[in-house]
């Protein structure tokens, strides 16, 4: 898939692109978070996933908390420009809001390949107060084209350190989509001092029968769900300098308050790492 600026012709899908009869992971995630940007098919599929694994809702919320803490950490380290790939439907605590709280001049480019997400993002960005932020359409499975899209909008300076955010997106790529190659290609285009913020779903803590039920739900949606082990998630960070505490479940990454019981078994890993 190519790219289209949100602000240029054809940048937003037509209503037919919404496909409300087919469950969509971004809208399902919105439902887990208590949002209203979802359709009956999304809610029905989400409820099936919750019936198989009731922790989906708390995991989604824990991931949002991780994103807040991780982006804030990177911004406080001096990173003032962010590339957020697979942003999902905008909700409270978006990357640009977190980054701009640390530096009002922070610049953010959001990337997603889905017209549904882009429609919602356009509506959000139409109002004032979003600073130097834009949204483009590109596909993580085609990282070179994605980078071309980023360069075309001329908002980020890729010769300076960038915060690359890949939050809860890589588990929607099958192995044949070459997710490791995609991450490597993006990182190779960024200079030393750039940081990667990554979170990824896992089935390490759930029985195989539960895993199979959940993946079965997503197999009928517009994207699959591929849980990876801690070792597989760690591979995305090869060659980078991990920030403490390393690869941990998302509630355990530099929590603001004492983690709740069971935080070490939440089905999402998170990490932040610096490119040397």
């Amino acid at each position: 898939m190519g790219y289209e600026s949100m602000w240029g012709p054809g940048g937003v899908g037509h209503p037919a692109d919404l496909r409300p009869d087919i469950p969509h992971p971004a809208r399902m995630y919105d439902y887990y978070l208590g949002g209203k940007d979802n359709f009956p098919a999304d809610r029905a599929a989400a409820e099936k996933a919750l019936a198989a694994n009731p922790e989906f809702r708390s995991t989604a919320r824990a991931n949002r908390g991780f994103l807040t803490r991780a982006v804030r950490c990177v911004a406080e380290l001096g990173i003032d420009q962010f590339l957020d790939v697979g942003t999902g439907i905008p909700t409270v605590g978006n990357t640009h809001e977190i980054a701009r709280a640390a530096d009002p001049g922070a610049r953010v480019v959001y990337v997603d390949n889905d017209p549904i997400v882009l429609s919602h993002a356009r509506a959000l960005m139409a109002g004032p107060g979003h600073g130097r932020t834009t949204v483009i359409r590109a596909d993580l499975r085609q990282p070179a084209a994605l980078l071309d899209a980023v360069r075309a909008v001329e908002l980020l300076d890729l010769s300076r350190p960038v915060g690359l955010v890949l939050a809860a997106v890589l588990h929607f790529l099958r192995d044949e989509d070459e997710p490791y190659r995609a991450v490597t290609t993006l990182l190779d285009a960024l200079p030393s001092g750039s940081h990667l913020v990554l979170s990824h779903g896992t089935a390490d803590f759930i029985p195989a029968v539960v895993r199979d039920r959940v993946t079965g739900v997503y197999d009928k949606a517009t994207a699959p769900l591929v849980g990876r082990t801690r070792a597989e998630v760690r591979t995305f960070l090869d060659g980078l300098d991990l920030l403490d505490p390393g690869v941990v479940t998302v509630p355990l990454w530099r929590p603001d308050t004492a983690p709740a019981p069971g935080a070490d078994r939440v089905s999402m890993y998170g990490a932040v790492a610096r490119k040397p």
Side-chain angles (χ1 to χ4, degrees):
M1 182 178 294
Y3 67 88
E4 301 170 6
S5 169
M6 278 296 300
W7 315 119
V12 182
H14 297 292
D17 291 322
L18 296 179
R19 302 173 69 184
D21 56 321
I22 301 177
H24 188 282
R27 295 192 305 249
M28 292 169 66
Y29 187 76
D30 176 73
Y31 179 75
Y32 299 143
L33 291 172
K36 298 179 180 179
D37 293 314
N38 46 73
F39 294 113
D42 306 307
R43 295 191 284 274
E47 286 295 341
K48 288 180 181 178
L50 287 167
N53 183 4
E55 295 179 0
F56 253 97
R57 179 168 281 122
S58 59
T59 298
R61 292 172 178 169
N63 182 64
R64 291 302 298 187
F66 162 77
L67 176 67
T68 297
R69 299 190 303 276
V71 171
R72 182 176 64 211
C73 168
V74 172
E76 289 174 349
L77 289 172
I79 301 298
D80 62 358
Q81 49 180 1
F82 289 83
L83 174 58
D84 187 334
V85 181
T87 178
I89 291 175
T91 186
V92 176
N94 296 291
T95 295
H96 73 282
E97 295 169 327
I98 304 163
R100 292 186 71 236
D103 181 351
R107 293 171 287 174
V108 179
V109 172
Y110 290 109
V111 179
D112 208 286
N113 72 336
D114 197 287
I116 299 165
V117 170
L118 300 178
S119 293
H120 288 285
R122 184 186 190 190
L124 174 69
M125 299 302 168
H130 297 290
R132 303 176 72 183
T133 303
T134 194
V135 189
I136 60 175
R137 184 175 181 179
D139 197 318
L140 180 56
R141 293 168 295 186
Q142 298 179 9
L146 188 156
L147 288 165
D148 287 342
V150 173
R151 295 185 184 102
V153 297
E154 299 183 340
L155 183 61
L156 304 185
D157 178 358
L158 299 189
S159 70
R160 296 176 50 246
V162 173
L164 173 62
V165 180
L166 296 171
V169 62
L170 290 164
H171 50 234
F172 294 124
L173 272 61
R174 295 185 173 92
D175 289 344
E176 53 264 37
D177 294 321
E178 299 184 282
Y180 295 104
R181 178 186 63 85
V183 174
T184 298
T185 300
L186 295 180
L187 287 171
D188 284 349
L190 304 180
S192 174
S194 295
H195 285 68
L196 172 61
V197 173
L198 180 146
S199 62
H200 196 299
T202 184
D204 281 356
F205 310 114
I206 60 176
V209 64
V210 174
R211 178 201 64 206
D212 292 345
R213 288 173 183 167
V214 170
T215 54
V217 171
Y218 278 85
D219 283 344
K220 297 176 182 177
T222 59
L225 183 64
V226 183
R228 293 185 170 92
T229 66
R230 184 180 184 277
E232 290 171 328
V233 173
R234 177 64 181 82
T235 300
F236 285 111
L237 305 158
D238 283 353
L240 305 179
D241 297 331
L242 271 172
L243 274 62
D244 290 335
V247 180
V248 294
T249 57
V250 286
L252 298 184
W253 199 91
R254 302 193 181 187
D256 293 325
T257 59
D264 60 337
R265 297 182 64 80
V266 169
S267 296
M268 185 85 71
Y269 287 117
V272 178
R274 179 185 183 276
K275 181 175 178 179

